[in-house]
Amino acid sequence: MPRAVRTERGRSTFQQRKRDRSMNIMILINALPGAAAQGLIWGIMAIGVYITYRILDVADLTVDGSMCTGGAVFIMMMLNDRNVWISMAAAFGAGLVCGLTTGIFHTFMGIPAILAGILTQLGLWSVNLKIMGKANQAINVNNYDLLVSLRFIRNVPFYKNTILVVAVFTLILILVLYWFFGTELGCSLRATGCNDKMARAQGINTDLGRVLGLMLSNGLVALSGALLTQYQGFADINMGRGAIVIGLAAVIIGEALFGKVFRNFGFKLLAVSLGSIIYYLVLQVVIWIGIDTDLLKLLSALVVAVFLAIPVWQERYFSKPVKKGGNS
């Protein structure tokens, strides 16, 4: 083969590879807004996880079931020609009931919190199937007036853009939570999680505080499920599976990256939401790189495990030992 032909083919191959790389980068850039929107929606769920995990100091696994409950209630309300806001309120109310159930198991029946959450989550599988009538239900944005949708990411008026709508919704939610946890009832709830015995000594009904915290947490999770149902256009019986891992990942990432900057309680809630966005952006990059999507759950679990272990490693291996006693 003549040298000129080989050179021309090599140049053509190089240009083709350059075009492929540019196309791959454009694919990633086009996917990032959708990942950010999904991260914002899951960030509301992560705020619910933060309430139980950080404020109440309770590991609540109800969220894996209550998220699907919120989506199921919302979609069935919409399919029966209810207003989108009424449907979202009904989803929030259904989440409150889920949290109330776990709270009764934990306080009134004396079942450990983690086991109470598992029992509620297990029962919600059947409840969610009964609500939807089958394993999944679809809803078309062309036929129903939805608040958010995957189709509202591009080429829509700015006030309908999903990222803007969910961001404003999240900020309003954080402001409401900031106000609530500054009230006497909210402070008693925080005191319950901080020091249970001291709170009881001050006359606080700690059992009521736990129940209220679990209700509020699962209400937010169900609300997130309602938004996710709108965004993806369907509700599925498996849509909440692994939600606790994603919520914990968002909480841990938010605290690790913004913990030293955001000291205020409201900003801590914002950090959780930002942690969820970062999680989904990183996830999108991982998918773009070409890692097997079957390994994503394993990757999420490892991320949470590493971030949870970092404070322990810092204390054990990187902090200077403190000398006991004084110089004689």
Side-chain angles (χ1 to χ4, degrees):
M1 183 181 296
R3 182 175 181 181
V5 175
R6 290 199 305 268
T7 303
E8 184 63 28
R9 287 188 175 181
R11 186 181 296 112
S12 177
T13 302
F14 173 76
Q15 291 176 348
Q16 182 62 38
R17 289 177 179 174
K18 187 176 180 180
R19 284 194 296 268
D20 291 342
R21 284 197 297 269
S22 299
M23 187 176 296
N24 286 334
I25 292 174
M26 287 304 300
I27 290 173
L28 175 62
I29 293 174
N30 290 331
L32 290 181
Q38 198 167 0
L40 278 167
I41 293 172
W42 282 86
I44 296 174
M45 184 276 303
I47 291 174
V49 172
Y50 180 87
I51 291 173
T52 53
Y53 181 65
R54 285 302 188 205
I55 297 179
L56 283 183
D57 195 23
V58 169
D60 180 30
L61 298 181
T62 313
V63 298
D64 280 20
S66 60
M67 187 163 193
C68 180
T69 303
V73 169
F74 172 83
I75 202 166
M76 296 310 296
M77 292 283 288
M78 289 297 296
L79 292 177
N80 284 279
D81 299 325
R82 297 297 189 272
N83 179 272
V84 64
W85 294 105
I86 295 176
S87 300
M88 289 178 64
F92 179 75
L96 294 178
V97 174
C98 295
L100 175 63
T101 304
T102 301
I104 291 174
F105 283 162
H106 177 47
T107 58
F108 181 72
M109 301 179 68
I111 299 173
I114 189 168
L115 182 55
I118 292 173
L119 291 174
T120 306
Q121 174 200 138
L122 182 65
L124 286 175
W125 176 275
S126 298
V127 172
N128 296 336
L129 277 175
K130 282 296 183 182
I131 292 173
M132 293 190 291
K134 54 183 179 179
N136 55 70
Q137 289 280 3
I139 189 169
N140 194 324
V141 67
N142 294 329
N143 301 327
Y144 296 90
D145 186 20
L146 301 181
L147 187 64
V148 298
S149 172
L150 180 60
R151 299 185 189 179
F152 295 163
I153 296 294
R154 295 183 182 86
N155 302 322
V156 294
F158 78 96
Y159 58 86
K160 290 189 66 176
N161 187 282
T162 295
I163 296 176
L164 176 64
V165 171
V166 181
V168 171
F169 191 88
T170 301
L171 288 176
I172 293 173
L173 181 64
I174 289 174
L175 289 174
V176 172
L177 290 174
Y178 181 77
W179 166 82
F180 170 74
F181 281 102
T183 63
E184 184 177 350
L185 180 59
C187 288
S188 66
L189 198 152
R190 295 169 70 177
T192 298
C194 183
N195 192 321
D196 181 83
K197 294 181 179 179
M198 181 63 72
R200 280 201 305 270
Q202 297 297 321
I204 296 174
N205 188 336
T206 55
D207 286 345
L208 177 61
R210 289 194 188 91
V211 172
L212 287 176
L214 288 166
M215 290 176 65
L216 180 58
S217 170
N218 284 280
L220 294 176
V221 171
L223 188 60
S224 175
L227 287 170
L228 183 62
T229 297
Q230 296 178 67
Y231 178 77
Q232 62 190 13
F234 65 91
D236 186 83
I237 192 67
N238 292 314
M239 68 182 290
R241 181 172 293 181
I244 185 64
V245 176
I246 297 174
L248 287 174
V251 171
I252 300 302
I253 292 172
E255 289 181 340
L257 296 180
F258 305 104
K260 294 183 179 180
V261 180
F262 293 166
R263 299 288 186 178
N264 181 274
F265 177 74
F267 284 112
K268 288 182 179 179
L269 296 179
L270 178 62
V272 172
S273 182
L274 294 176
S276 178
I277 297 172
I278 292 170
Y279 171 81
Y280 268 92
L281 291 177
V282 171
L283 205 62
Q284 190 63 53
V285 173
V286 168
I287 294 173
W288 175 73
I289 291 172
I291 293 178
D292 188 357
T293 54
D294 292 340
L295 300 177
L296 292 180
K297 294 292 186 182
L298 175 61
L299 179 64
S300 300
L302 291 176
V303 168
V304 174
V306 169
F307 274 96
L308 286 173
I310 285 175
V312 179
W313 291 343
Q314 287 178 337
E315 184 178 351
R316 287 182 180 178
Y317 307 114
F318 300 103
S319 61
K320 295 181 179 180
V322 179
K323 294 182 180 180
K324 295 183 178 179
N327 295 328
S328 56

